[in-house]
Amino acid sequence: MPTIHLFSGGAAQGLVKALEPDFMRESGGGIQGTFGAVGMMKEKLLRGEQCDLVILSQKLVDELAADGHVVPASMRAIGVVHTGIAVRDADAAVDVGDADALGRALRNAKAIYFPDPEKATAGIHFMGVLKKLGLDLELADRLRPYPNGATAMREMASAGTGVIGCTQVSEIVSTPGVRLVASLPPEFALATTYTAAVTSRAAEPALAARLIDLLTRPETLADRRNAGIE
C-alpha cells in the first residue's frame, strides 16, 4: 500500500484520524502521521526527514513556500482553530468570560496544562496571556507544559480534580476525559488558520494532493466542524 508521510500540528490530528478510513477507501493509500507542535514539525521537515505533506499554521506554510520547501500551488486552507480553556469532564465549568474571570480561574487551579510555550502555537500564545495577566511568575510552580496540546490534554484528563488547561479547541474536543469551557476571552482570543501543502520533496505528491482534497472539500465540512475546525 502506498503511504504518505504527514507532519502536522496537533490541531488537525482529530480531523485526519476521522477521515483516514475514507482516504484509504478512496485512494488505496495509507497515512503515516506525525503530530505535534508546529515549530517542531517545521524543524523535522527542514532536517530532511521524509515528508509528503504538511498541515501547519498559515504563517509557517507561507514561510516554507517562500523558501521552496512546499509547492505553492498545492496550498489549501483547512480552516480556523480557536484557542480555548478546558476542564476535566468530572469537574465543574469555570467562568473565563473576561480577563478578570480568567485570572481568577487560573489562580484557583491546582495545576495548569498547556502545550510547549516555545514551539506550539497555543503554548506560545498562552504564555503571553499569563504574562499579560501578571501570573507567569506567580503560578510558575503550577504550570504543566507538554510537547503538544494533545499530550497536555491527555495528561490533564488523568490528573486530579481542580485543574485547568489551555490549547487549541480541536485538541480539546478530540481528547476523552476533558471538555471545552469556552474560547479565550475576546481580549486574549487567538484564531489560527491551518493550511495543508505538498512538500517539494514529496515521494507521493499525487496521493498527498488527494488527502488535501478530502480534508478541504465541501462534503467534509461537518467533519471539520466536529473536529473543532471552523
Side-chain angles (χ1 to χ4, degrees):
M1 175 191 297
T3 299
I4 60 171
H5 291 76
L6 165 68
F7 290 168
S8 172
Q13 183 171 3
L15 177 64
V16 172
K17 293 298 184 183
L19 291 177
E20 186 172 8
D22 292 341
F23 176 73
M24 294 177 67
R25 184 176 61 255
E26 290 184 10
S27 70
I31 302 171
Q32 183 172 321
T34 302
F35 302 90
V38 292
M40 187 179 300
M41 296 301 102
K42 178 184 176 182
E43 289 175 3
K44 288 171 67 67
L45 177 67
L46 296 183
R47 284 199 300 266
E49 296 185 31
Q50 184 176 359
C51 178
D52 300 290
L53 171 67
V54 294
I55 303 174
L56 304 172
S57 62
Q58 177 75 56
K59 178 178 181 293
L60 287 188
V61 175
D62 285 342
E63 292 174 1
L64 291 171
D67 292 336
H69 296 294
V70 301
V71 180
S74 72
M75 293 166 56
R76 298 272 295 277
I78 291 177
V80 174
V81 179
H82 292 271
T83 299
I85 296 295
V87 296
R88 296 167 66 250
D89 281 345
D91 291 346
V94 292
D95 178 13
V96 294
D98 57 30
D100 289 341
L102 177 61
R104 286 193 298 272
L106 293 171
R107 282 193 176 93
N108 290 335
K110 296 177 181 177
I112 302 166
Y113 291 76
F114 63 105
D116 191 321
E118 295 183 356
K119 295 181 180 179
T121 301
I124 294 168
H125 182 73
F126 182 62
M127 183 56 70
V129 171
L130 289 173
K131 290 178 180 178
K132 289 177 182 177
L133 290 170
L135 298 177
D136 54 315
L137 298 180
E138 178 183 337
L139 302 180
D141 62 339
R142 284 183 258 171
L143 301 183
R144 304 289 186 270
Y146 285 86
N148 53 69
T151 302
M153 292 300 98
R154 286 197 301 271
E155 292 297 324
M156 191 179 87
S158 61
T161 60
V163 298
I164 197 170
C166 179
T167 190
Q168 307 276 27
V169 167
S170 58
E171 293 173 310
I172 297 170
V173 301
S174 64
T175 303
V178 303
R179 72 180 191 277
L180 175 67
V181 174
S183 295
L184 287 171
E187 54 265 57
F188 299 129
L190 175 66
T192 305
T193 298
Y194 281 84
T195 296
V198 178
T199 66
S200 301
R201 299 192 306 271
E204 297 284 353
L207 201 58
R210 291 190 68 170
L211 179 56
I212 293 176
D213 175 71
L214 176 63
L215 294 172
T216 59
R217 68 176 61 154
E219 292 80 4
T220 58
L221 176 62
D223 297 281
R224 294 193 292 278
R225 295 292 185 267
N226 290 338
I229 300 174
E230 297 181 358

